[in-house]
Amino acid sequence: MYNSRIIGMGKYLPDNVVTNDDLAKLMDTSDEWITERTGIKERRHIVKGSDDTPATMGHKAALIALERAGLQPKDIDLILFATLSPDYYFPGSGVLVQKLLGIPACPAMDIRMQCSGFIYGISTADQFIKTGMYKNVLVIGSENHSGGLDFTTRGRGVSVIFGDGAGAAVLTREEDNTRGILSTHLYSEGEHAEELSLIGPSTQRWVPEIIAANDPDDISYYPYMNGQTVFKHAVVRFSEVINEGLQKNNWEAADIDLFVPHQANLRIAQFIQKKFRLGDDQVYNNIMRYGNTTAASIPIALTEAWEEGKVKEGDKVVLAAFGSGFTWGSALMVW
Ligand code: ACO
C-alpha cells in the first residue's frame, strides 16, 4: 500500500471585496454584530456578469496547484470537485474543469458533502492512490454563494456568513509511509439534513412548481440554517473527529504543528482551539478576510498557510470540518 501526499496547493478569490459595512447598506446589520458573532470582517463576492464560476475559479486554483506540484494537466489521473454550488444542476463541475484543463479523458467526480467536501475529497483521493489505481489526483473545493443569497434583512442570519472562492490540492503517490496522509475519518448524520439546507429548487420542489405557486412568502430557494443547532453539533463533532485522528496516530494535541479547521465561524474555531489547548501559532484562520467558503475554505486556508511559510516539510497537520448533512471529518498528515 502506498501513502498519498499533497505536493501542490493553489487558491483563487474573486477581486470584489465586500465588507460588513457594505452589507449594512443592504440590510439591517452591523460590523459589530457580524464581527462579534462570526469573526468575519469581509468576504469576496463574484461580480455578476464576470467569468467567475465554481468551475473557472476551481480551474484557476488548480493551475497554481499544478505548477507548484511540477505537474501538467495531462499527468492528472482523477479530478474530484467538492461544491454545494455547482455551475449546473447537471452535469457536475468536475467535467467542466476537465475541459478547461484540456484533459481529453479522465474520471471527474463531484463531491456533494458541503463544508466537509474537501476532507471527503482528499480522503477519496487517498484511497485511490493507496490502492495503486491512480497516481496523481486533483482535489478542488469551489463555491459561488453570493449569487444565491438573500441580501435583505430577512436573510441576514445566513447571507453575512458566506463568501465565494476556490482552493485546490494535487496529491500524489508517496512510497514512504511515514509521510503524507496518515488517516482520514468521515461521518454523516442525515437526521439533521434540513437544519442547514437549500431545498427550494430540487426534485422535491421543481422550479416550475415554485413559479406556478407564485407565493411571495416562499423563500425555499434561499439557504436555510438553524444557526444555534449547527453551532452546538459542530463543536461536539469537531472535537470527536479530531480526537479520533489523534488517537489513531498516537499524537497529542501538543504535537500538532498546524490545525486548519473549516472556516465556519471564528467562534467555533476558537472553541476548538481552547478545548485542545492549542497556541495561536498552531491554528490557521482566515475567515476574517473571506467569510465561510464552504468546500473551498480548507484548501484556501491551507494554501495561504503554506504561502506564509506556516506549513513546512515534516510538519504534523490536522484538517477538520463540520457542515450541512450533517457531515464531518478530519485528516491527519505529515507534510
Ligand atoms: N445582523 C444583525 N442581527 C442579526 C443578524 C445579522 N446579520 N442575523 C441575525 N440577527 C438577529 C436575529 O434576527 C435575532 O434577532 P431577534 O433576537 O430580534 O430575533 C438575533 O440576531 C439573534 O439571532 P440568532 O440566530 O439567535 O443569533 P445567534 O447568536 O445564534 O448567532 C449565528 C447566529 C452567528 C449564525 C450563530 O448561530 C452561529 O454561529 N451558528 C453556527 C453556524 C455557523 O457557523 N454556520 C456556518 C455555516 S455552517 C458551517 O459551515 C458549519
Short mmCIF file of all heavy atoms in Angstrom, two decimals, residues 118-184:
data_model
loop_
_atom_site.label_atom_id
_atom_site.label_comp_id
_atom_site.label_asym_id
_atom_site.label_seq_id
_atom_site.Cartn_x
_atom_site.Cartn_y
_atom_site.Cartn_z
N PHE A 118 -14.03 19.07 1.09
CA PHE A 118 -12.60 18.93 0.79
C PHE A 118 -12.00 17.75 1.56
O PHE A 118 -11.17 17.02 1.03
CB PHE A 118 -11.85 20.23 1.12
CG PHE A 118 -10.40 20.18 0.71
CD1 PHE A 118 -10.03 20.25 -0.62
CD2 PHE A 118 -9.40 20.03 1.67
CE1 PHE A 118 -8.69 20.18 -1.01
CE2 PHE A 118 -8.06 19.96 1.30
CZ PHE A 118 -7.70 20.04 -0.04
N ILE A 119 -12.44 17.55 2.81
CA ILE A 119 -11.93 16.40 3.59
C ILE A 119 -12.37 15.10 2.92
O ILE A 119 -11.58 14.16 2.78
CB ILE A 119 -12.47 16.44 5.05
CG1 ILE A 119 -12.12 17.76 5.73
CG2 ILE A 119 -12.00 15.21 5.82
CD1 ILE A 119 -10.87 17.78 6.53
N TYR A 120 -13.63 15.04 2.51
CA TYR A 120 -14.10 13.85 1.78
C TYR A 120 -13.30 13.68 0.49
O TYR A 120 -12.99 12.57 0.07
CB TYR A 120 -15.60 13.97 1.45
CG TYR A 120 -16.52 13.42 2.52
CD1 TYR A 120 -16.73 14.11 3.71
CD2 TYR A 120 -17.18 12.21 2.35
CE1 TYR A 120 -17.58 13.61 4.69
CE2 TYR A 120 -18.04 11.71 3.33
CZ TYR A 120 -18.23 12.42 4.49
OH TYR A 120 -19.07 11.92 5.45
N GLY A 121 -12.96 14.80 -0.14
CA GLY A 121 -12.20 14.75 -1.40
C GLY A 121 -10.82 14.18 -1.20
O GLY A 121 -10.40 13.27 -1.93
N ILE A 122 -10.10 14.68 -0.18
CA ILE A 122 -8.74 14.15 -0.05
C ILE A 122 -8.76 12.73 0.51
O ILE A 122 -7.88 11.94 0.21
CB ILE A 122 -7.78 15.07 0.75
CG1 ILE A 122 -8.25 15.35 2.14
CG2 ILE A 122 -7.46 16.34 0.01
CD1 ILE A 122 -7.15 16.01 2.96
N SER A 123 -9.80 12.39 1.27
CA SER A 123 -9.91 11.00 1.73
C SER A 123 -10.14 10.08 0.53
O SER A 123 -9.52 9.01 0.42
CB SER A 123 -11.06 10.87 2.73
OG SER A 123 -11.17 9.55 3.15
N THR A 124 -11.00 10.50 -0.38
CA THR A 124 -11.27 9.69 -1.59
C THR A 124 -10.01 9.58 -2.45
O THR A 124 -9.65 8.50 -2.91
CB THR A 124 -12.42 10.33 -2.40
OG1 THR A 124 -13.53 10.53 -1.53
CG2 THR A 124 -12.84 9.47 -3.57
N ALA A 125 -9.32 10.70 -2.62
CA ALA A 125 -8.07 10.69 -3.38
C ALA A 125 -7.08 9.71 -2.75
O ALA A 125 -6.44 8.91 -3.44
CB ALA A 125 -7.46 12.10 -3.41
N ASP A 126 -6.99 9.79 -1.43
CA ASP A 126 -6.06 8.94 -0.68
C ASP A 126 -6.35 7.45 -0.92
O ASP A 126 -5.43 6.66 -1.12
CB ASP A 126 -6.20 9.31 0.81
CG ASP A 126 -5.21 8.57 1.69
OD1 ASP A 126 -4.02 8.51 1.33
OD2 ASP A 126 -5.63 8.05 2.75
N GLN A 127 -7.64 7.11 -0.93
CA GLN A 127 -7.98 5.69 -1.13
C GLN A 127 -7.56 5.22 -2.53
O GLN A 127 -6.99 4.15 -2.70
CB GLN A 127 -9.49 5.42 -0.95
CG GLN A 127 -10.11 5.98 0.31
CD GLN A 127 -9.30 5.73 1.56
OE1 GLN A 127 -8.87 4.59 1.81
NE2 GLN A 127 -9.07 6.77 2.34
N PHE A 128 -7.84 6.03 -3.54
CA PHE A 128 -7.47 5.65 -4.92
C PHE A 128 -5.95 5.55 -5.08
O PHE A 128 -5.45 4.70 -5.82
CB PHE A 128 -8.04 6.66 -5.92
CG PHE A 128 -9.47 6.40 -6.30
CD1 PHE A 128 -10.47 7.30 -5.99
CD2 PHE A 128 -9.82 5.25 -7.00
CE1 PHE A 128 -11.79 7.06 -6.36
CE2 PHE A 128 -11.15 5.01 -7.37
CZ PHE A 128 -12.13 5.92 -7.04
N ILE A 129 -5.23 6.43 -4.39
CA ILE A 129 -3.77 6.41 -4.51
C ILE A 129 -3.20 5.22 -3.72
O ILE A 129 -2.32 4.50 -4.20
CB ILE A 129 -3.16 7.75 -4.04
CG1 ILE A 129 -3.55 8.86 -5.04
CG2 ILE A 129 -1.64 7.65 -3.90
CD1 ILE A 129 -3.21 10.27 -4.61
N LYS A 130 -3.75 4.99 -2.53
CA LYS A 130 -3.28 3.87 -1.69
C LYS A 130 -3.34 2.53 -2.43
O LYS A 130 -2.44 1.72 -2.33
CB LYS A 130 -4.17 3.74 -0.46
CG LYS A 130 -3.71 4.53 0.75
CD LYS A 130 -4.44 4.00 1.99
CE LYS A 130 -3.81 4.56 3.22
NZ LYS A 130 -4.11 5.98 3.41
N THR A 131 -4.44 2.32 -3.14
CA THR A 131 -4.62 1.02 -3.80
C THR A 131 -3.76 0.91 -5.06
O THR A 131 -3.66 -0.17 -5.64
CB THR A 131 -6.09 0.83 -4.24
OG1 THR A 131 -6.43 1.90 -5.12
CG2 THR A 131 -7.03 0.81 -3.05
N GLY A 132 -3.19 2.03 -5.50
CA GLY A 132 -2.38 2.00 -6.71
C GLY A 132 -3.18 2.25 -7.97
O GLY A 132 -2.63 2.26 -9.08
N MET A 133 -4.49 2.48 -7.83
CA MET A 133 -5.31 2.67 -9.04
C MET A 133 -4.94 3.97 -9.76
O MET A 133 -4.91 4.01 -10.98
CB MET A 133 -6.79 2.69 -8.66
CG MET A 133 -7.69 2.83 -9.86
SD MET A 133 -9.34 2.22 -9.50
CE MET A 133 -10.20 2.68 -10.98
N TYR A 134 -4.70 5.04 -8.99
CA TYR A 134 -4.30 6.32 -9.59
C TYR A 134 -3.06 6.84 -8.89
O TYR A 134 -2.85 6.58 -7.70
CB TYR A 134 -5.43 7.35 -9.49
CG TYR A 134 -6.67 6.96 -10.23
CD1 TYR A 134 -7.90 6.93 -9.59
CD2 TYR A 134 -6.62 6.60 -11.58
CE1 TYR A 134 -9.05 6.56 -10.27
CE2 TYR A 134 -7.77 6.23 -12.26
CZ TYR A 134 -8.98 6.21 -11.60
OH TYR A 134 -10.11 5.83 -12.28
N LYS A 135 -2.28 7.64 -9.65
CA LYS A 135 -1.06 8.20 -9.07
C LYS A 135 -1.24 9.66 -8.65
O LYS A 135 -0.86 10.06 -7.57
CB LYS A 135 0.09 8.08 -10.08
CG LYS A 135 1.42 8.48 -9.49
CD LYS A 135 2.57 8.18 -10.42
CE LYS A 135 3.86 8.67 -9.79
NZ LYS A 135 4.88 8.97 -10.78
N ASN A 136 -1.82 10.47 -9.55
CA ASN A 136 -1.95 11.91 -9.27
C ASN A 136 -3.42 12.31 -9.29
O ASN A 136 -4.12 12.09 -10.28
CB ASN A 136 -1.23 12.72 -10.36
CG ASN A 136 0.25 12.41 -10.40
OD1 ASN A 136 0.90 12.31 -9.36
ND2 ASN A 136 0.79 12.23 -11.59
N VAL A 137 -3.86 12.89 -8.20
CA VAL A 137 -5.28 13.27 -8.08
C VAL A 137 -5.38 14.76 -7.75
O VAL A 137 -4.65 15.26 -6.89
CB VAL A 137 -6.00 12.44 -6.99
CG1 VAL A 137 -7.48 12.82 -6.92
CG2 VAL A 137 -5.84 10.94 -7.27
N LEU A 138 -6.27 15.43 -8.48
CA LEU A 138 -6.54 16.85 -8.25
C LEU A 138 -7.83 16.98 -7.45
O LEU A 138 -8.87 16.48 -7.89
CB LEU A 138 -6.68 17.55 -9.61
CG LEU A 138 -7.13 19.00 -9.63
CD1 LEU A 138 -6.11 19.91 -8.94
CD2 LEU A 138 -7.35 19.47 -11.08
N VAL A 139 -7.74 17.63 -6.29
CA VAL A 139 -8.93 17.84 -5.46
C VAL A 139 -9.21 19.34 -5.39
O VAL A 139 -8.33 20.12 -5.02
CB VAL A 139 -8.74 17.29 -4.03
CG1 VAL A 139 -10.03 17.46 -3.22
CG2 VAL A 139 -8.33 15.82 -4.07
N ILE A 140 -10.43 19.72 -5.74
CA ILE A 140 -10.81 21.14 -5.77
C ILE A 140 -12.00 21.36 -4.85
O ILE A 140 -12.90 20.52 -4.77
CB ILE A 140 -11.21 21.55 -7.22
CG1 ILE A 140 -10.01 21.43 -8.16
CG2 ILE A 140 -11.78 22.97 -7.25
CD1 ILE A 140 -10.37 21.54 -9.64
N GLY A 141 -11.99 22.49 -4.15
CA GLY A 141 -13.18 22.95 -3.44
C GLY A 141 -13.50 24.33 -3.98
O GLY A 141 -12.61 25.19 -4.03
N SER A 142 -14.74 24.58 -4.42
CA SER A 142 -15.02 25.87 -5.05
C SER A 142 -16.50 26.21 -4.85
O SER A 142 -17.36 25.33 -4.95
CB SER A 142 -14.70 25.81 -6.54
OG SER A 142 -14.89 27.07 -7.14
N GLU A 143 -16.77 27.48 -4.55
CA GLU A 143 -18.16 27.87 -4.27
C GLU A 143 -18.49 29.25 -4.83
O GLU A 143 -17.68 30.18 -4.72
CB GLU A 143 -18.42 27.93 -2.75
CG GLU A 143 -18.10 26.67 -1.98
CD GLU A 143 -19.13 25.55 -2.13
OE1 GLU A 143 -20.10 25.69 -2.91
OE2 GLU A 143 -18.94 24.51 -1.46
N ASN A 144 -19.69 29.35 -5.35
CA ASN A 144 -20.31 30.65 -5.64
C ASN A 144 -21.55 30.74 -4.75
O ASN A 144 -22.61 30.22 -5.10
CB ASN A 144 -20.72 30.75 -7.11
CG ASN A 144 -21.59 31.98 -7.39
OD1 ASN A 144 -21.91 32.75 -6.48
ND2 ASN A 144 -21.98 32.14 -8.63
N HIS A 145 -21.39 31.34 -3.58
CA HIS A 145 -22.55 31.50 -2.69
C HIS A 145 -23.33 32.77 -3.00
O HIS A 145 -24.55 32.80 -2.90
CB HIS A 145 -22.07 31.62 -1.22
CG HIS A 145 -21.63 30.33 -0.64
ND1 HIS A 145 -22.44 29.22 -0.58
CD2 HIS A 145 -20.46 29.95 -0.07
CE1 HIS A 145 -21.79 28.23 0.00
NE2 HIS A 145 -20.58 28.64 0.31
N SER A 146 -22.58 33.84 -3.34
CA SER A 146 -23.18 35.17 -3.31
C SER A 146 -24.35 35.30 -4.30
O SER A 146 -25.29 36.04 -4.05
CB SER A 146 -22.13 36.24 -3.61
OG SER A 146 -21.63 36.08 -4.91
N GLY A 147 -24.28 34.53 -5.40
CA GLY A 147 -25.35 34.62 -6.40
C GLY A 147 -26.70 34.15 -5.89
O GLY A 147 -27.73 34.51 -6.46
N GLY A 148 -26.71 33.37 -4.81
CA GLY A 148 -27.98 32.77 -4.37
C GLY A 148 -28.37 33.10 -2.94
O GLY A 148 -29.12 32.35 -2.32
N LEU A 149 -27.85 34.21 -2.41
CA LEU A 149 -28.18 34.56 -1.02
C LEU A 149 -29.20 35.69 -0.99
O LEU A 149 -29.31 36.49 -1.93
CB LEU A 149 -26.91 34.98 -0.27
CG LEU A 149 -25.86 33.88 -0.08
CD1 LEU A 149 -24.58 34.46 0.53
CD2 LEU A 149 -26.40 32.75 0.81
N ASP A 150 -29.91 35.78 0.11
CA ASP A 150 -30.92 36.82 0.30
C ASP A 150 -30.25 37.99 1.02
O ASP A 150 -30.01 37.93 2.23
CB ASP A 150 -32.06 36.22 1.15
CG ASP A 150 -33.15 37.22 1.44
OD1 ASP A 150 -33.07 38.37 0.95
OD2 ASP A 150 -34.10 36.85 2.17
N PHE A 151 -29.97 39.06 0.28
CA PHE A 151 -29.27 40.20 0.88
C PHE A 151 -30.25 41.26 1.40
O PHE A 151 -29.95 42.45 1.38
CB PHE A 151 -28.27 40.81 -0.12
CG PHE A 151 -27.08 39.91 -0.35
CD1 PHE A 151 -26.94 39.22 -1.53
CD2 PHE A 151 -26.13 39.74 0.65
CE1 PHE A 151 -25.86 38.37 -1.74
CE2 PHE A 151 -25.04 38.89 0.46
CZ PHE A 151 -24.91 38.20 -0.73
N THR A 152 -31.42 40.79 1.85
CA THR A 152 -32.31 41.71 2.57
C THR A 152 -32.22 41.32 4.05
O THR A 152 -31.64 40.28 4.40
CB THR A 152 -33.78 41.56 2.10
OG1 THR A 152 -34.26 40.27 2.52
CG2 THR A 152 -33.89 41.68 0.59
N THR A 153 -32.84 42.11 4.91
CA THR A 153 -32.80 41.84 6.35
C THR A 153 -33.32 40.43 6.65
O THR A 153 -32.83 39.76 7.55
CB THR A 153 -33.61 42.93 7.10
OG1 THR A 153 -32.95 44.18 6.85
CG2 THR A 153 -33.67 42.66 8.59
N ARG A 154 -34.29 39.97 5.87
CA ARG A 154 -34.85 38.62 6.05
C ARG A 154 -33.76 37.54 6.02
O ARG A 154 -33.83 36.55 6.75
CB ARG A 154 -35.85 38.38 4.92
CG ARG A 154 -36.66 37.14 4.99
CD ARG A 154 -37.62 37.08 3.83
NE ARG A 154 -36.92 37.07 2.54
CZ ARG A 154 -37.52 37.08 1.36
NH1 ARG A 154 -38.84 37.12 1.29
NH2 ARG A 154 -36.83 37.06 0.23
N GLY A 155 -32.74 37.73 5.19
CA GLY A 155 -31.72 36.69 5.02
C GLY A 155 -30.43 36.94 5.79
O GLY A 155 -29.44 36.22 5.59
N ARG A 156 -30.45 37.93 6.68
CA ARG A 156 -29.17 38.37 7.29
C ARG A 156 -28.48 37.30 8.15
O ARG A 156 -27.26 37.32 8.29
CB ARG A 156 -29.41 39.63 8.13
CG ARG A 156 -30.32 39.39 9.34
CD ARG A 156 -30.61 40.68 10.07
NE ARG A 156 -31.51 40.43 11.19
CZ ARG A 156 -31.87 41.34 12.07
NH1 ARG A 156 -31.43 42.57 11.94
NH2 ARG A 156 -32.67 41.02 13.06
N GLY A 157 -29.26 36.36 8.71
CA GLY A 157 -28.66 35.32 9.56
C GLY A 157 -27.75 34.39 8.77
O GLY A 157 -26.88 33.73 9.33
N VAL A 158 -27.94 34.33 7.46
CA VAL A 158 -27.16 33.43 6.60
C VAL A 158 -26.21 34.23 5.69
O VAL A 158 -25.03 33.91 5.56
CB VAL A 158 -28.10 32.56 5.72
CG1 VAL A 158 -27.30 31.76 4.71
CG2 VAL A 158 -28.93 31.62 6.59
N SER A 159 -26.75 35.28 5.08
CA SER A 159 -26.02 35.92 3.96
C SER A 159 -24.74 36.63 4.40
O SER A 159 -23.84 36.83 3.57
CB SER A 159 -26.93 36.87 3.20
OG SER A 159 -27.49 37.81 4.08
N VAL A 160 -24.63 37.02 5.68
CA VAL A 160 -23.41 37.71 6.11
C VAL A 160 -22.23 36.73 6.27
O VAL A 160 -21.08 37.16 6.33
CB VAL A 160 -23.63 38.50 7.44
CG1 VAL A 160 -24.73 39.53 7.26
CG2 VAL A 160 -23.93 37.58 8.61
N ILE A 161 -22.56 35.45 6.35
CA ILE A 161 -21.53 34.45 6.71
C ILE A 161 -20.72 33.96 5.50
O ILE A 161 -19.53 33.70 5.61
CB ILE A 161 -22.20 33.25 7.41
CG1 ILE A 161 -22.75 33.71 8.77
CG2 ILE A 161 -21.24 32.08 7.58
CD1 ILE A 161 -23.49 32.64 9.53
N PHE A 162 -21.40 33.85 4.35
CA PHE A 162 -20.78 33.09 3.25
C PHE A 162 -20.06 33.96 2.21
O PHE A 162 -20.49 35.07 1.92
CB PHE A 162 -21.83 32.21 2.57
CG PHE A 162 -22.34 31.14 3.51
CD1 PHE A 162 -23.51 31.32 4.23
CD2 PHE A 162 -21.62 29.97 3.69
CE1 PHE A 162 -23.96 30.34 5.11
CE2 PHE A 162 -22.06 28.99 4.57
CZ PHE A 162 -23.24 29.18 5.28
N GLY A 163 -18.98 33.40 1.68
CA GLY A 163 -18.20 34.08 0.65
C GLY A 163 -17.86 33.13 -0.48
O GLY A 163 -18.06 31.92 -0.39
N ASP A 164 -17.34 33.69 -1.58
CA ASP A 164 -17.02 32.92 -2.78
C ASP A 164 -15.50 32.68 -2.87
O ASP A 164 -14.71 33.51 -2.40
CB ASP A 164 -17.46 33.68 -4.04
CG ASP A 164 -18.94 34.03 -4.02
OD1 ASP A 164 -19.71 33.33 -3.35
OD2 ASP A 164 -19.32 35.02 -4.69
N GLY A 165 -15.12 31.62 -3.56
CA GLY A 165 -13.70 31.36 -3.79
C GLY A 165 -13.43 29.90 -4.07
O GLY A 165 -14.36 29.08 -4.07
N ALA A 166 -12.16 29.61 -4.33
CA ALA A 166 -11.77 28.23 -4.67
C ALA A 166 -10.38 27.91 -4.15
O ALA A 166 -9.52 28.80 -4.05
CB ALA A 166 -11.79 28.05 -6.19
N GLY A 167 -10.19 26.65 -3.84
CA GLY A 167 -8.86 26.16 -3.46
C GLY A 167 -8.64 24.79 -4.10
O GLY A 167 -9.62 24.10 -4.42
N ALA A 168 -7.38 24.43 -4.32
CA ALA A 168 -7.11 23.14 -4.97
C ALA A 168 -5.84 22.52 -4.40
O ALA A 168 -4.95 23.22 -3.93
CB ALA A 168 -6.93 23.36 -6.48
N ALA A 169 -5.81 21.19 -4.45
CA ALA A 169 -4.64 20.45 -3.99
C ALA A 169 -4.33 19.35 -4.99
O ALA A 169 -5.24 18.73 -5.54
CB ALA A 169 -4.91 19.84 -2.62
N VAL A 170 -3.04 19.12 -5.22
CA VAL A 170 -2.61 17.97 -6.02
C VAL A 170 -1.99 16.96 -5.08
O VAL A 170 -1.09 17.29 -4.30
CB VAL A 170 -1.57 18.39 -7.09
CG1 VAL A 170 -1.04 17.16 -7.82
CG2 VAL A 170 -2.18 19.38 -8.07
N LEU A 171 -2.54 15.74 -5.12
CA LEU A 171 -2.00 14.65 -4.29
C LEU A 171 -1.30 13.65 -5.20
O LEU A 171 -1.77 13.39 -6.33
CB LEU A 171 -3.11 13.94 -3.52
CG LEU A 171 -3.71 14.70 -2.34
CD1 LEU A 171 -4.83 15.61 -2.80
CD2 LEU A 171 -4.21 13.74 -1.29
N THR A 172 -0.21 13.11 -4.70
CA THR A 172 0.49 12.10 -5.49
C THR A 172 0.89 10.92 -4.61
O THR A 172 0.80 10.97 -3.38
CB THR A 172 1.73 12.71 -6.18
OG1 THR A 172 2.16 11.82 -7.22
CG2 THR A 172 2.89 12.90 -5.22
N ARG A 173 1.35 9.87 -5.28
CA ARG A 173 1.78 8.66 -4.58
C ARG A 173 3.03 8.94 -3.75
O ARG A 173 3.96 9.62 -4.21
CB ARG A 173 2.09 7.60 -5.64
CG ARG A 173 2.49 6.27 -5.09
CD ARG A 173 2.82 5.32 -6.23
NE ARG A 173 1.65 5.01 -7.03
CZ ARG A 173 1.71 4.39 -8.22
NH1 ARG A 173 2.87 4.04 -8.74
NH2 ARG A 173 0.60 4.12 -8.87
N GLU A 174 3.05 8.41 -2.54
CA GLU A 174 4.21 8.58 -1.65
C GLU A 174 4.59 7.18 -1.15
O GLU A 174 3.77 6.49 -0.56
CB GLU A 174 3.82 9.50 -0.47
CG GLU A 174 4.82 9.56 0.66
CD GLU A 174 6.19 10.06 0.22
OE1 GLU A 174 6.25 11.17 -0.32
OE2 GLU A 174 7.18 9.32 0.41
N GLU A 175 5.84 6.81 -1.39
CA GLU A 175 6.23 5.45 -1.03
C GLU A 175 6.67 5.33 0.42
O GLU A 175 6.66 4.23 0.98
CB GLU A 175 7.29 4.95 -2.01
CG GLU A 175 6.69 4.98 -3.42
CD GLU A 175 7.36 4.12 -4.44
OE1 GLU A 175 8.32 3.41 -4.09
OE2 GLU A 175 6.91 4.16 -5.61
N ASP A 176 7.07 6.47 1.03
CA ASP A 176 7.47 6.47 2.45
C ASP A 176 6.19 6.57 3.28
O ASP A 176 5.54 7.60 3.31
CB ASP A 176 8.39 7.68 2.68
CG ASP A 176 8.72 7.86 4.15
OD1 ASP A 176 8.19 7.10 5.00
OD2 ASP A 176 9.50 8.79 4.46
N ASN A 177 5.83 5.47 3.97
CA ASN A 177 4.53 5.50 4.65
C ASN A 177 4.54 6.23 5.99
O ASN A 177 3.56 6.20 6.72
CB ASN A 177 3.90 4.10 4.75
CG ASN A 177 4.75 3.17 5.60
OD1 ASN A 177 5.67 3.61 6.27
ND2 ASN A 177 4.44 1.89 5.54
N THR A 178 5.64 6.91 6.30
CA THR A 178 5.62 7.78 7.49
C THR A 178 5.28 9.22 7.08
O THR A 178 5.18 10.10 7.92
CB THR A 178 6.99 7.78 8.22
OG1 THR A 178 7.97 8.34 7.33
CG2 THR A 178 7.40 6.39 8.63
N ARG A 179 5.13 9.46 5.77
CA ARG A 179 4.82 10.80 5.26
C ARG A 179 3.47 10.83 4.57
O ARG A 179 2.95 9.79 4.18
CB ARG A 179 5.85 11.22 4.21
CG ARG A 179 7.17 11.58 4.75
CD ARG A 179 8.03 12.08 3.61
NE ARG A 179 7.70 13.46 3.27
CZ ARG A 179 8.25 14.10 2.25
NH1 ARG A 179 9.11 13.51 1.46
NH2 ARG A 179 7.95 15.36 2.01
N GLY A 180 2.96 12.04 4.38
CA GLY A 180 1.70 12.21 3.66
C GLY A 180 0.50 11.98 4.56
O GLY A 180 0.60 12.13 5.78
N ILE A 181 -0.60 11.61 3.94
CA ILE A 181 -1.84 11.44 4.70
C ILE A 181 -1.76 10.14 5.50
O ILE A 181 -1.57 9.07 4.94
CB ILE A 181 -3.06 11.45 3.76
CG1 ILE A 181 -3.15 12.85 3.10
CG2 ILE A 181 -4.35 11.13 4.51
CD1 ILE A 181 -4.20 12.98 2.05
N LEU A 182 -1.90 10.28 6.81
CA LEU A 182 -1.80 9.10 7.68
C LEU A 182 -3.16 8.49 7.95
O LEU A 182 -3.30 7.28 8.03
CB LEU A 182 -1.12 9.48 9.00
CG LEU A 182 0.29 10.09 8.87
CD1 LEU A 182 0.88 10.35 10.25
CD2 LEU A 182 1.22 9.19 8.06
N SER A 183 -4.17 9.35 8.13
CA SER A 183 -5.52 8.81 8.32
C SER A 183 -6.56 9.88 8.02
O SER A 183 -6.29 11.08 8.16
CB SER A 183 -5.72 8.28 9.75
OG SER A 183 -5.74 9.33 10.68
N THR A 184 -7.74 9.40 7.61
CA THR A 184 -8.89 10.31 7.44
C THR A 184 -10.08 9.65 8.13
O THR A 184 -10.15 8.41 8.22
CB THR A 184 -9.22 10.57 5.96
OG1 THR A 184 -9.44 9.31 5.30
CG2 THR A 184 -8.10 11.31 5.25
#
